[in-house]
Amino acid sequence: MTADIVNLRAARKEKARAARRAEAAQNRAKFGRSKAERTLDEAQQERAARRLDGHSLRPDDKGDGGV
């Protein structure tokens, strides 16, 4: 019966790598969005802003004939 020799420094480094990978996976799930999703969201925000601007009353649009 022989025991496996374990390098403690390597084991510590591997444990730290695993922790970083787990944290990265959590961040991807929490914050990650594809480029298509970001582009779609930007387009929807821009369209909403243009629609809002289209409904605004400007000083020259008071309806008094521009007098």
Side-chain angles (χ1 to χ4, degrees):
M1 296 188 11
T2 61
D4 291 333
I5 298 174
V6 177
N7 185 337
L8 296 178
R9 183 181 59 226
R12 246 189 337 265
K13 286 183 178 184
E14 182 55 39
K15 183 178 177 183
R17 283 187 202 111
R20 285 195 309 263
R21 282 193 298 264
E23 184 179 358
Q26 288 175 347
N27 285 339
R28 281 192 301 270
K30 188 174 182 181
F31 299 111
R33 294 191 317 168
S34 69
K35 185 173 183 176
E37 290 171 329
R38 288 192 309 266
T39 305
L40 177 63
D41 190 37
E42 289 174 14
Q44 288 174 341
Q45 288 177 355
E46 184 178 329
R47 186 169 44 244
R50 277 187 278 130
R51 184 173 182 182
L52 181 62
D53 288 343
H55 288 291
S56 68
L57 295 176
R58 293 184 178 81
D60 57 302
D61 292 341
K62 289 182 182 177
D64 59 358
V67 179

